[in-house]
Amino acid sequence: MTLIVDCHGHYTTAPAQHDDWRAKQVEAWKEGGKAPPYPTITDDEIRETIESNQLKLIKERGADVTIFSPRASRMAHHVGDQDVSAEWSHHCNNLIYRVTKLFPETFVGVCQLPQSPKADLKASIAELRRCVEMGFVGCNLNPDPGGGHFEHPPLTDEYWFPLYEEMCELDVPGMIHVSGSCNPAMHATGGFYLAADTVAFMQLMEGDLFARFPKLRLIIPHGGGAVPFHWGRYRGLADMLKKPALSEYIMNNVFFDTCVYHQPGIDLLADVIENKNILFGSEMVGAVRGIDPETGHYFDDTKRYVDALDITDEERHMIFEGNARRVYPRLDKLLREQGR
Amino acid sequence: MTLIVDCHGHYTTAPAQHDDWRAKQVEAWKEGGKAPPYPTITDDEIRETIESNQLKLIKERGADVTIFSPRASRMAHHVGDQDVSAEWSHHCNNLIYRVTKLFPETFVGVCQLPQSPKADLKASIAELRRCVEMGFVGCNLNPDPGGGHFEHPPLTDEYWFPLYEEMCELDVPGMIHVSGSCNPAMHATGGFYLAADTVAFMQLMEGDLFARFPKLRLIIPHGGGAVPFHWGRYRGLADMLKKPALSEYIMNNVFFDTCVYHQPGIDLLADVIENKNILFGSEMVGAVRGIDPETGHYFDDTKRYVDALDITDEERHMIFEGNARRVYPRLDKLLREQGR
């Protein structure tokens, strides 16, 4: 029996008070004032937003566990400053924590880091530690907190090392995930996300980060952006950069999810990327919410595509469960404590 | 008999004097001086660089015609100012012109535009007209002349309209192609190129450019970046943006080349993108110059992948020749004049 673990879910349906508070927080910051107190949100309100959305779809689609994090497009690290980001992240993560307590069999937490374009990573490290102590199993790491101009140091730069050290010590992976775009030339979910996934992979290829951090594990979402489609290009570029084969110096530490919304894409992903590097994910309820007229099913019902893959049961087990337990050891521990 | 037309070749092997002059030009600009006179380059020198590189490989691989433009990564629109870009483009395009005159059966010109981050498009329009009068059949259009920070207006912005008007009047298409990156977080051929391809497609999706310019034709190179791999995502995003189907409002005017360096990528491309929208291209000699150890053939020998596609001869004819004649009417005219 395989447990279906979705490694990529965001709380895109959080209660309205949460987003309202955020709007007021930003407004207050712009005016040089102080954010109002965070509103009361009842357990019932949280239950309602989950039961009528993610949980309903999880049941309909036959998944079991979702690794759940705050809404990616609203992390908006480019808005405000370090304090604004820290306060917002604190509340976002607390909301995720409450979801994981209300639905402990279904949701496992991954935190938003309070990154800020001009800040170092001290606040992010502190928030990561706080969240892991609350039972979270990973973090989302924004490679471009400036929001669409790629002005941050590459992921191989020592700027990031203190965070990586903490992630290794806590034994939690990070999902490389940008947020909303403040660039009119850069649509968030259709341009920025996939561009950033692709650029991040190439940053990792240019460096030798995992020689320094052999325990660091990074998930590149949305099927790895353009990377699997251009796998020949990347194999060839590794060769031109005089690097070892990708399988040796990148693919022990980098993983792709299955947030690719059509069968041919998932087929290619499973064809060119070793199955040990693929984690089931849907990004549901997320970027694309409609029904594909060509199939009659939701675009983001990625379980159907994985079910349809021409692979062995053992390989499918790895994609749905085994790899997630390996990449997120704290998830594995939680599941074992639950007898799963 | 199908003519094999490669829509994507750059003069990456230009004589050293050409690049030396460019270095001096930039140096002079930095010091507030005037560039030295452009050096003499003999026909034999040009012949040598072509015969031992592109022409040799074209013959070995069995292609016939290459649509040839200046080296993309050296357009470097972010370096210097409008005058520097104009002078550099002038010499780059003249060199392409000479190649097309030395090898009129094999090379057809596409020009570099003298874009510059802070300039309007007047100089680009003038240079496009000059080149088309010399027999060029299209242009390369850089959506991010700033070189890696995506600070330019989206392709749907009226900033670009005068150029589009000229392109329509001259009946020449444009290949959307960024240049080198001045962003340490953005590797040119492994990050920036594919990111820009992807972002450009999404810019076009967000707008309604082809309602205004129904004759405008744009080629997105490198197989369309991440787009075909995520075709379900884009179909779903069109739906979420309340747009018509992509086939109706984008895909009469947008084309992808086959610069995807492995068989599974080309298979997916031909599977999800209508073959009328696919143009054979290799980007040879370009970003990836090595031999794939998995196949024993050059990564960028994309003709092999297209030959191996499970499609009809008629479809293959379209990809190799028919679509190029349709998208580049001036190429078609040239070929007809040559009795081809």
Side-chain angles (χ1 to χ4, degrees), chain A residues 158-206:
Chain A
E158 62 187 18
Y159 167 82
W160 300 98
F161 289 1
L163 176 63
Y164 297 153
E165 279 160 19
E166 188 71 21
M167 288 165 66
C168 289
E169 191 178 317
L170 295 171
D171 206 11
V172 294
M175 180 175 276
I176 305 297
H177 206 308
V178 291
S179 182
S181 162
C182 60
N183 181 348
M186 186 80 75
H187 185 273
T189 54
F192 192 24
Y193 282 20
L194 303 180
D197 300 337
T198 308
V199 168
F201 186 84
M202 191 64 207
Q203 290 175 358
L204 297 173
M205 262 185 66
E206 280 193 274

Short mmCIF file of all heavy atoms in Angstrom, two decimals, chain A residues 158-206:
data_model
loop_
_atom_site.label_atom_id
_atom_site.label_comp_id
_atom_site.label_asym_id
_atom_site.label_seq_id
_atom_site.Cartn_x
_atom_site.Cartn_y
_atom_site.Cartn_z
N GLU A 158 28.04 32.59 -0.93
CA GLU A 158 28.15 32.35 0.51
C GLU A 158 27.11 33.12 1.33
O GLU A 158 26.90 32.81 2.50
CB GLU A 158 29.57 32.69 1.00
CG GLU A 158 29.96 34.13 0.81
CD GLU A 158 31.44 34.38 1.15
OE1 GLU A 158 32.21 33.40 1.20
OE2 GLU A 158 31.79 35.55 1.35
N TYR A 159 26.46 34.08 0.67
CA TYR A 159 25.33 34.75 1.33
C TYR A 159 24.37 33.74 1.95
O TYR A 159 23.82 33.95 3.03
CB TYR A 159 24.58 35.59 0.28
CG TYR A 159 23.22 36.10 0.72
CD1 TYR A 159 23.11 37.24 1.52
CD2 TYR A 159 22.05 35.43 0.35
CE1 TYR A 159 21.87 37.69 1.93
CE2 TYR A 159 20.81 35.88 0.76
CZ TYR A 159 20.72 37.01 1.55
OH TYR A 159 19.49 37.45 1.95
N TRP A 160 24.16 32.63 1.23
CA TRP A 160 23.16 31.65 1.64
C TRP A 160 23.69 30.62 2.66
O TRP A 160 22.90 29.87 3.23
CB TRP A 160 22.66 30.87 0.41
CG TRP A 160 22.02 31.71 -0.64
CD1 TRP A 160 22.61 32.18 -1.78
CD2 TRP A 160 20.65 32.17 -0.69
NE1 TRP A 160 21.71 32.91 -2.54
CE2 TRP A 160 20.49 32.91 -1.89
CE3 TRP A 160 19.55 32.02 0.15
CZ2 TRP A 160 19.29 33.51 -2.26
CZ3 TRP A 160 18.34 32.61 -0.21
CH2 TRP A 160 18.22 33.34 -1.39
N PHE A 161 24.99 30.57 2.85
CA PHE A 161 25.57 29.45 3.60
C PHE A 161 25.03 29.30 5.03
O PHE A 161 24.78 28.18 5.48
CB PHE A 161 27.10 29.55 3.60
CG PHE A 161 27.74 29.24 2.27
CD1 PHE A 161 26.97 28.93 1.14
CD2 PHE A 161 29.12 29.26 2.13
CE1 PHE A 161 27.56 28.66 -0.09
CE2 PHE A 161 29.73 28.98 0.90
CZ PHE A 161 28.95 28.69 -0.20
N PRO A 162 24.84 30.41 5.78
CA PRO A 162 24.32 30.22 7.15
C PRO A 162 22.96 29.50 7.16
O PRO A 162 22.70 28.66 8.02
CB PRO A 162 24.19 31.65 7.68
CG PRO A 162 25.16 32.45 6.86
CD PRO A 162 25.16 31.82 5.49
N LEU A 163 22.13 29.81 6.17
CA LEU A 163 20.83 29.12 6.10
C LEU A 163 21.03 27.65 5.76
O LEU A 163 20.39 26.78 6.36
CB LEU A 163 19.95 29.80 5.04
CG LEU A 163 18.59 29.13 4.80
CD1 LEU A 163 17.72 29.16 6.06
CD2 LEU A 163 17.85 29.81 3.64
N TYR A 164 21.91 27.37 4.81
CA TYR A 164 22.15 25.98 4.44
C TYR A 164 22.69 25.19 5.64
O TYR A 164 22.32 24.03 5.85
CB TYR A 164 23.16 25.88 3.29
CG TYR A 164 22.72 26.51 1.99
CD1 TYR A 164 23.66 26.99 1.07
CD2 TYR A 164 21.37 26.63 1.64
CE1 TYR A 164 23.29 27.56 -0.14
CE2 TYR A 164 20.99 27.21 0.43
CZ TYR A 164 21.95 27.68 -0.44
OH TYR A 164 21.58 28.25 -1.64
N GLU A 165 23.56 25.84 6.42
CA GLU A 165 24.11 25.15 7.61
C GLU A 165 22.98 24.76 8.56
O GLU A 165 22.94 23.64 9.09
CB GLU A 165 25.13 26.05 8.32
CG GLU A 165 26.50 25.99 7.65
CD GLU A 165 27.39 27.18 7.98
OE1 GLU A 165 27.12 27.89 8.98
OE2 GLU A 165 28.34 27.42 7.21
N GLU A 166 22.06 25.70 8.76
CA GLU A 166 20.93 25.42 9.65
C GLU A 166 20.04 24.31 9.07
O GLU A 166 19.58 23.43 9.80
CB GLU A 166 20.11 26.70 9.86
CG GLU A 166 19.04 26.60 10.91
CD GLU A 166 19.61 26.52 12.33
OE1 GLU A 166 20.77 26.93 12.55
OE2 GLU A 166 18.87 26.03 13.22
N MET A 167 19.78 24.38 7.77
CA MET A 167 18.95 23.35 7.13
C MET A 167 19.59 21.97 7.28
O MET A 167 18.89 20.99 7.53
CB MET A 167 18.75 23.68 5.65
CG MET A 167 17.82 24.87 5.41
SD MET A 167 17.92 25.52 3.71
CE MET A 167 17.25 24.14 2.78
N CYS A 168 20.89 21.92 7.13
CA CYS A 168 21.58 20.63 7.27
C CYS A 168 21.52 20.15 8.72
O CYS A 168 21.27 18.98 8.98
CB CYS A 168 23.03 20.75 6.82
SG CYS A 168 23.19 20.96 5.03
N GLU A 169 21.72 21.09 9.64
CA GLU A 169 21.70 20.69 11.05
C GLU A 169 20.31 20.20 11.45
O GLU A 169 20.18 19.20 12.17
CB GLU A 169 22.11 21.89 11.91
CG GLU A 169 22.38 21.50 13.35
CD GLU A 169 22.83 22.68 14.19
OE1 GLU A 169 23.67 23.47 13.71
OE2 GLU A 169 22.33 22.82 15.33
N LEU A 170 19.29 20.88 10.96
CA LEU A 170 17.91 20.47 11.28
C LEU A 170 17.45 19.31 10.39
O LEU A 170 16.38 18.75 10.61
CB LEU A 170 16.95 21.66 11.10
CG LEU A 170 17.15 22.85 12.04
CD1 LEU A 170 16.28 24.03 11.60
CD2 LEU A 170 16.80 22.45 13.48
N ASP A 171 18.22 19.01 9.38
CA ASP A 171 17.91 17.94 8.43
C ASP A 171 16.57 18.18 7.72
O ASP A 171 15.72 17.29 7.61
CB ASP A 171 17.90 16.57 9.15
CG ASP A 171 18.20 15.43 8.19
OD1 ASP A 171 18.62 15.69 7.04
OD2 ASP A 171 18.01 14.26 8.59
N VAL A 172 16.39 19.42 7.24
CA VAL A 172 15.18 19.76 6.47
C VAL A 172 15.57 20.25 5.07
O VAL A 172 16.57 20.97 4.93
CB VAL A 172 14.33 20.85 7.17
CG1 VAL A 172 13.76 20.32 8.48
CG2 VAL A 172 15.11 22.13 7.38
N PRO A 173 14.83 19.87 4.08
CA PRO A 173 15.10 20.35 2.73
C PRO A 173 14.42 21.69 2.47
O PRO A 173 13.59 22.14 3.27
CB PRO A 173 14.46 19.28 1.85
CG PRO A 173 13.27 18.85 2.64
CD PRO A 173 13.68 18.94 4.10
N GLY A 174 14.77 22.31 1.36
CA GLY A 174 14.12 23.55 0.95
C GLY A 174 13.55 23.41 -0.44
O GLY A 174 14.16 22.78 -1.31
N MET A 175 12.36 23.97 -0.61
CA MET A 175 11.83 24.07 -1.97
C MET A 175 12.18 25.46 -2.50
O MET A 175 11.85 26.47 -1.86
CB MET A 175 10.31 23.85 -2.00
CG MET A 175 9.73 23.95 -3.40
SD MET A 175 7.95 23.56 -3.49
CE MET A 175 7.98 21.78 -3.61
N ILE A 176 12.85 25.50 -3.65
CA ILE A 176 13.21 26.77 -4.28
C ILE A 176 11.93 27.34 -4.89
O ILE A 176 11.39 26.77 -5.84
CB ILE A 176 14.24 26.52 -5.40
CG1 ILE A 176 15.45 25.77 -4.88
CG2 ILE A 176 14.64 27.82 -6.08
CD1 ILE A 176 16.23 26.50 -3.83
N HIS A 177 11.44 28.44 -4.33
CA HIS A 177 10.14 28.92 -4.82
C HIS A 177 10.09 30.43 -4.73
O HIS A 177 10.10 30.99 -3.64
CB HIS A 177 9.01 28.31 -3.98
CG HIS A 177 7.70 28.22 -4.72
ND1 HIS A 177 7.13 29.30 -5.34
CD2 HIS A 177 6.86 27.18 -4.93
CE1 HIS A 177 5.99 28.91 -5.91
NE2 HIS A 177 5.81 27.62 -5.68
N VAL A 178 9.99 31.09 -5.88
CA VAL A 178 9.82 32.54 -5.84
C VAL A 178 8.39 32.88 -5.46
O VAL A 178 7.54 32.00 -5.31
CB VAL A 178 10.21 33.21 -7.20
CG1 VAL A 178 11.71 33.13 -7.43
CG2 VAL A 178 9.43 32.65 -8.36
N SER A 179 8.15 34.17 -5.31
CA SER A 179 6.83 34.64 -4.89
C SER A 179 6.23 35.50 -5.99
O SER A 179 6.56 35.33 -7.17
CB SER A 179 6.98 35.40 -3.57
OG SER A 179 5.73 35.82 -3.10
N GLY A 180 5.36 36.40 -5.61
CA GLY A 180 4.74 37.28 -6.60
C GLY A 180 5.78 38.16 -7.27
O GLY A 180 6.88 38.36 -6.76
N SER A 181 5.41 38.69 -8.40
CA SER A 181 6.30 39.52 -9.19
C SER A 181 5.89 40.97 -9.07
O SER A 181 4.70 41.30 -9.12
CB SER A 181 6.21 39.07 -10.65
OG SER A 181 6.72 40.06 -11.51
N CYS A 182 6.89 41.86 -8.90
CA CYS A 182 6.58 43.29 -8.95
C CYS A 182 7.10 43.87 -10.26
O CYS A 182 7.34 45.06 -10.38
CB CYS A 182 7.18 44.00 -7.75
SG CYS A 182 8.96 43.87 -7.61
N ASN A 183 7.28 42.99 -11.23
CA ASN A 183 7.82 43.36 -12.54
C ASN A 183 6.71 43.20 -13.58
O ASN A 183 6.24 42.08 -13.81
CB ASN A 183 9.00 42.43 -12.85
CG ASN A 183 9.66 42.73 -14.19
OD1 ASN A 183 9.12 43.48 -15.00
ND2 ASN A 183 10.80 42.14 -14.40
N PRO A 184 6.29 44.32 -14.20
CA PRO A 184 5.18 44.22 -15.16
C PRO A 184 5.51 43.33 -16.37
O PRO A 184 4.61 42.90 -17.08
CB PRO A 184 4.95 45.67 -15.59
CG PRO A 184 6.19 46.41 -15.22
CD PRO A 184 6.79 45.70 -14.05
N ALA A 185 6.80 43.06 -16.58
CA ALA A 185 7.19 42.20 -17.70
C ALA A 185 7.20 40.73 -17.31
O ALA A 185 7.53 39.87 -18.12
CB ALA A 185 8.57 42.62 -18.21
N MET A 186 6.86 40.42 -16.06
CA MET A 186 7.06 39.09 -15.52
C MET A 186 5.81 38.58 -14.82
O MET A 186 5.59 38.88 -13.65
CB MET A 186 8.24 39.18 -14.53
CG MET A 186 8.72 37.89 -13.96
SD MET A 186 9.81 36.98 -15.05
CE MET A 186 11.32 37.93 -14.91
N HIS A 187 4.99 37.83 -15.53
CA HIS A 187 3.81 37.23 -14.91
C HIS A 187 4.27 36.21 -13.88
O HIS A 187 5.19 35.43 -14.14
CB HIS A 187 2.97 36.56 -15.99
CG HIS A 187 1.67 36.00 -15.49
ND1 HIS A 187 1.56 34.73 -14.97
CD2 HIS A 187 0.42 36.52 -15.44
CE1 HIS A 187 0.30 34.51 -14.62
NE2 HIS A 187 -0.41 35.58 -14.90
N ALA A 188 3.62 36.20 -12.72
CA ALA A 188 4.13 35.35 -11.63
C ALA A 188 4.09 33.87 -12.00
O ALA A 188 5.12 33.23 -12.18
CB ALA A 188 3.36 35.62 -10.34
N THR A 189 2.90 33.32 -12.11
CA THR A 189 2.81 31.86 -12.24
C THR A 189 3.11 31.35 -13.64
O THR A 189 3.42 30.18 -13.82
CB THR A 189 1.41 31.36 -11.82
OG1 THR A 189 0.43 32.07 -12.58
CG2 THR A 189 1.18 31.60 -10.34
N GLY A 190 3.05 32.23 -14.64
CA GLY A 190 3.31 31.79 -16.01
C GLY A 190 4.69 32.14 -16.53
O GLY A 190 5.14 31.58 -17.53
N GLY A 191 5.36 33.08 -15.85
CA GLY A 191 6.68 33.48 -16.31
C GLY A 191 7.74 33.30 -15.23
O GLY A 191 8.69 32.55 -15.36
N PHE A 192 7.52 34.01 -14.13
CA PHE A 192 8.52 34.09 -13.07
C PHE A 192 8.82 32.72 -12.45
O PHE A 192 9.99 32.35 -12.28
CB PHE A 192 8.00 35.06 -12.00
CG PHE A 192 8.98 35.50 -10.97
CD1 PHE A 192 10.34 35.50 -11.19
CD2 PHE A 192 8.52 35.97 -9.73
CE1 PHE A 192 11.23 35.94 -10.21
CE2 PHE A 192 9.38 36.42 -8.76
CZ PHE A 192 10.74 36.40 -8.99
N TYR A 193 7.78 31.97 -12.14
CA TYR A 193 8.00 30.68 -11.46
C TYR A 193 8.90 29.78 -12.30
O TYR A 193 9.91 29.25 -11.82
CB TYR A 193 6.66 29.95 -11.22
CG TYR A 193 5.84 30.45 -10.05
CD1 TYR A 193 6.03 31.73 -9.51
CD2 TYR A 193 4.83 29.67 -9.49
CE1 TYR A 193 5.26 32.18 -8.45
CE2 TYR A 193 4.06 30.11 -8.42
CZ TYR A 193 4.27 31.37 -7.91
OH TYR A 193 3.51 31.81 -6.86
N LEU A 194 8.55 29.61 -13.56
CA LEU A 194 9.29 28.67 -14.40
C LEU A 194 10.68 29.22 -14.74
O LEU A 194 11.66 28.46 -14.83
CB LEU A 194 8.52 28.35 -15.67
CG LEU A 194 7.11 27.78 -15.46
CD1 LEU A 194 6.45 27.49 -16.81
CD2 LEU A 194 7.11 26.53 -14.61
N ALA A 195 10.77 30.54 -14.92
CA ALA A 195 12.08 31.14 -15.18
C ALA A 195 12.99 30.93 -13.98
O ALA A 195 14.16 30.55 -14.13
CB ALA A 195 11.92 32.64 -15.48
N ALA A 196 12.46 31.17 -12.79
CA ALA A 196 13.29 31.05 -11.58
C ALA A 196 13.71 29.60 -11.34
O ALA A 196 14.84 29.33 -10.93
CB ALA A 196 12.52 31.59 -10.38
N ASP A 197 12.82 28.66 -11.60
CA ASP A 197 13.17 27.24 -11.44
C ASP A 197 14.37 26.92 -12.34
O ASP A 197 15.32 26.24 -11.93
CB ASP A 197 12.00 26.34 -11.86
CG ASP A 197 10.75 26.57 -11.03
OD1 ASP A 197 10.85 27.07 -9.90
OD2 ASP A 197 9.64 26.26 -11.54
N THR A 198 14.29 27.40 -13.57
CA THR A 198 15.31 27.10 -14.57
C THR A 198 16.64 27.77 -14.22
O THR A 198 17.70 27.15 -14.25
CB THR A 198 14.82 27.61 -15.95
OG1 THR A 198 13.50 27.09 -16.19
CG2 THR A 198 15.75 27.18 -17.06
N VAL A 199 16.54 29.04 -13.86
CA VAL A 199 17.74 29.80 -13.51
C VAL A 199 18.40 29.20 -12.26
O VAL A 199 19.63 29.09 -12.18
CB VAL A 199 17.37 31.29 -13.29
CG1 VAL A 199 18.51 32.06 -12.64
CG2 VAL A 199 16.99 31.92 -14.63
N ALA A 200 17.59 28.78 -11.30
CA ALA A 200 18.13 28.19 -10.07
C ALA A 200 18.93 26.93 -10.38
O ALA A 200 20.03 26.73 -9.84
CB ALA A 200 16.99 27.87 -9.10
N PHE A 201 18.39 26.10 -11.23
CA PHE A 201 19.11 24.86 -11.57
C PHE A 201 20.46 25.20 -12.19
O PHE A 201 21.49 24.59 -11.86
CB PHE A 201 18.28 24.01 -12.53
CG PHE A 201 18.90 22.67 -12.82
CD1 PHE A 201 18.70 21.60 -11.95
CD2 PHE A 201 19.70 22.46 -13.93
CE1 PHE A 201 19.29 20.36 -12.18
CE2 PHE A 201 20.29 21.23 -14.18
CZ PHE A 201 20.08 20.17 -13.30
N MET A 202 20.47 26.20 -13.07
CA MET A 202 21.73 26.55 -13.73
C MET A 202 22.71 27.16 -12.73
O MET A 202 23.92 26.93 -12.83
CB MET A 202 21.44 27.50 -14.89
CG MET A 202 22.64 27.72 -15.79
SD MET A 202 23.17 26.21 -16.67
CE MET A 202 24.92 26.57 -16.92
N GLN A 203 22.21 27.92 -11.77
CA GLN A 203 23.10 28.44 -10.72
C GLN A 203 23.79 27.28 -10.00
O GLN A 203 25.01 27.30 -9.77
CB GLN A 203 22.30 29.27 -9.70
CG GLN A 203 21.79 30.59 -10.24
CD GLN A 203 20.90 31.32 -9.23
OE1 GLN A 203 20.63 30.83 -8.13
NE2 GLN A 203 20.44 32.51 -9.61
N LEU A 204 23.01 26.27 -9.67
CA LEU A 204 23.59 25.12 -8.97
C LEU A 204 24.61 24.40 -9.84
O LEU A 204 25.65 23.95 -9.36
CB LEU A 204 22.47 24.16 -8.53
CG LEU A 204 21.47 24.75 -7.54
CD1 LEU A 204 20.31 23.79 -7.30
CD2 LEU A 204 22.16 25.11 -6.22
N MET A 205 24.31 24.34 -11.14
CA MET A 205 25.24 23.67 -12.06
C MET A 205 26.57 24.40 -12.17
O MET A 205 27.62 23.78 -12.32
CB MET A 205 24.63 23.60 -13.46
CG MET A 205 23.97 22.29 -13.78
SD MET A 205 23.43 22.30 -15.50
CE MET A 205 24.99 22.36 -16.38
N GLU A 206 26.51 25.72 -12.12
CA GLU A 206 27.74 26.50 -12.28
C GLU A 206 28.66 26.38 -11.08
O GLU A 206 29.86 26.59 -11.20
CB GLU A 206 27.41 27.98 -12.47
CG GLU A 206 26.99 28.34 -13.86
CD GLU A 206 26.99 29.86 -14.04
OE1 GLU A 206 25.97 30.48 -13.70
OE2 GLU A 206 28.00 30.40 -14.50
#
